[in-house]
Amino acid sequence: MTDFAKAIRAMKSLWTDKVTITATQAVKVGHITSNQPVTLVKDEPAKVILKSQSASQEGFYGTDSYDAELLIRTGLEIPAGAVITVTDQNGVVTKYKRSSKGYSGYATHQEIAMIREEKA
């Protein structure tokens, strides 16, 4: 077994989150083409790493906004702007509405920058 294969196995054993990724794609129905959400990946093992969190700002509504990074296997084509829904090991579901294109410069995984912005 190669060193990369061992590293991949070790990393994946720590990926306890499950992600569903949807993106808007052109879908042709008859002679009409329209943009529709399409599920690219469902219940894929991954890991979310929080990069920064900020407290709610003063105002009528608080915000729940922070930067995060998703570690996921290579070989998946994840476009910028995909909607990523994460279910963590405790069953808590979090939706990320803004994401970068997957960066797959690593042999073991790819990384996707995400921002969560929701009103509390």
Side-chain angles (χ1 to χ4, degrees):
M1 182 177 288
T2 68
D3 289 336
F4 283 125
K6 289 178 187 176
I8 291 168
R9 272 188 49 216
M11 276 186 25
K12 285 186 178 179
S13 70
L14 301 173
W15 293 357
T16 55
D17 301 328
K18 298 284 185 189
V19 299
T20 299
I21 301 173
T22 58
T24 302
Q25 293 183 343
V27 176
K28 189 171 184 177
V29 178
H31 297 290
I32 299 172
T33 301
S34 63
N35 291 328
Q36 297 179 0
V38 175
T39 300
L40 304 176
V41 176
K42 186 171 174 102
D43 293 330
E44 180 74 25
K47 185 64 184 170
V48 174
I49 300 169
L50 299 183
K51 297 194 79 146
S52 68
Q53 289 184 308
S54 61
S56 293
Q57 298 176 1
E58 194 173 319
F60 186 74
Y61 291 105
T63 61
D64 188 3
S65 175
Y66 54 83
D67 296 337
E69 196 168 279
L70 181 71
L71 306 181
I72 195 165
R73 71 178 169 91
T74 57
L76 298 172
E77 284 291 326
I78 301 169
V83 175
I84 300 174
T85 305
V86 179
T87 304
D88 70 15
Q89 63 188 357
N90 298 314
V92 176
V93 177
T94 306
K95 189 174 186 179
Y96 297 89
K97 296 180 181 177
R98 297 192 316 177
S99 66
S100 70
K101 181 176 168 115
Y103 173 72
S104 57
Y106 304 108
T108 55
H109 66 284
Q110 65 177 311
E111 296 179 356
I112 300 166
M114 309 179 297
I115 297 176
R116 178 181 183 197
E117 290 180 328
E118 292 185 329
K119 291 182 179 178

